[in-house]
Amino acid sequence: MDGRNIKIAPSIIAANWADIIQELKKAKRGDFIHVDVMDGHFVPNITLGSDIAKAVYEITGKPLDIHLMLDRPDKYIDRFAFDGVFRITFHYESNALLIRTIEKIKSYGFKAGISISPDTPVRRIIKILALVDQVLVMTVYPGFSGQRLVEKTVKKIHQLNDIREEMNLNFVITADGGINRNNIGRIGPVDEVVMGSGFFSEPT
Ligand code: ZN
């Protein structure tokens, strides 16, 4: 760790759902809860929807960070317009009109984030960096929890931090995927990390 105060967001899809009440208690130790929403199209997996996300908030009272891994994320934003949600993040690679989607997210009073998959270079999103509140760097290929960190993505975190300083912007940088207590120190200048299996496998 470099002494920065990095926020930790447990990713609820990585919880043991057979013991979900206990796992949600554990998740309350995080700064907020990360919810991965997958549609089976943009990624080859299906996960939670808005009803489960709502229940997670009702049980934990923790703010929710919604990560949409969906085609046409703009069509689903209104489903997440409930108490507890503070930010919605969608993928650059999804079939979204970027600016319109950001504006739609903000119209609900949410913070808006853009996410890039491991193979998407930072330069692709430079034009919209002034419009977003967060950049979520996928440090694994999106779709499944429990993967190993893709090392080349760490460079993008450094690039984003440099750009943020040069352009005097104030989006937060989040890393998502394959992060645990052992590798969090070499993930680069992030403000937040999402932790899945790395969080829930920690002893209570
Ligand atoms: Zn995520």
Side-chain angles (χ1 to χ4, degrees):
M1 303 281 266
D2 58 4
R4 292 161 60 99
N5 187 16
I6 300 175
K7 288 188 175 156
I8 306 281
S11 172
I12 202 68
I13 62 161
N16 171 13
W17 285 79
D19 194 13
I20 193 63
I21 295 299
Q22 208 53 39
E23 295 282 79
L24 287 173
K25 273 187 196 156
K26 199 169 177 181
K28 284 170 83 167
R29 285 193 235 137
D31 291 289
F32 53 89
I33 293 179
H34 185 83
V35 182
D36 286 310
V37 182
M38 306 183 190
D39 65 350
H41 296 282
F42 178 66
V43 288
N45 197 4
I46 301 170
T47 57
L48 315 173
S50 51
D51 291 342
I52 304 271
K54 208 179 275 180
V56 167
Y57 174 67
E58 280 163 11
I59 295 166
T60 63
K62 297 297 276 192
L64 301 183
D65 176 36
I66 307 293
H67 181 186
L68 299 179
M69 299 178 181
L70 308 173
D71 269 334
R72 292 296 309 273
D74 50 301
K75 292 201 307 194
Y76 299 91
I77 290 158
D78 47 358
R79 296 192 193 198
F80 290 90
F82 56 83
D83 279 353
V85 174
F86 78 98
R87 184 171 64 206
I88 295 185
T89 305
F90 67 101
H91 271 261
Y92 168 82
E93 304 85 3
S94 66
N95 250 327
L97 293 166
L98 300 180
I99 294 173
R100 218 171 89 182
T101 306
I102 291 166
E103 281 171 354
K104 190 164 180 190
I105 293 171
K106 288 185 173 176
S107 76
Y108 287 98
F110 301 137
K111 291 185 184 300
I114 189 82
S115 176
I116 48 173
S117 293
D119 294 339
T120 303
V122 167
R123 63 182 151 79
R124 295 269 176 82
I125 56 166
I126 296 240
K127 281 188 183 154
I128 56 160
L129 285 179
L131 303 175
V132 294
D133 302 294
Q134 176 222 30
V135 177
L136 185 151
V137 176
M138 284 300 304
T139 40
V140 298
Y141 288 92
F144 298 90
S145 74
Q147 300 182 65
R148 280 175 69 94
L149 183 81
V150 178
E151 296 290 340
K152 69 175 182 182
T153 60
V154 172
K155 202 173 131 195
K156 294 200 285 186
I157 291 167
H158 287 277
Q159 281 175 343
L160 277 165
N161 187 45
D162 292 346
I163 292 166
R164 179 169 60 178
E165 278 176 27
E166 279 161 26
M167 295 173 69
N168 205 15
L169 298 173
N170 47 22
F171 56 84
V172 299
I173 303 173
T174 309
D176 183 1
I179 299 164
N180 53 50
R181 297 277 173 192
N182 299 323
N183 63 15
I184 192 171
R186 59 185 167 85
I187 210 80
V190 289
D191 305 288
E192 309 171 342
V193 295
V194 174
M195 281 173 77
S197 31
F199 179 90
F200 288 101
S201 63
E202 280 179 355
T204 11

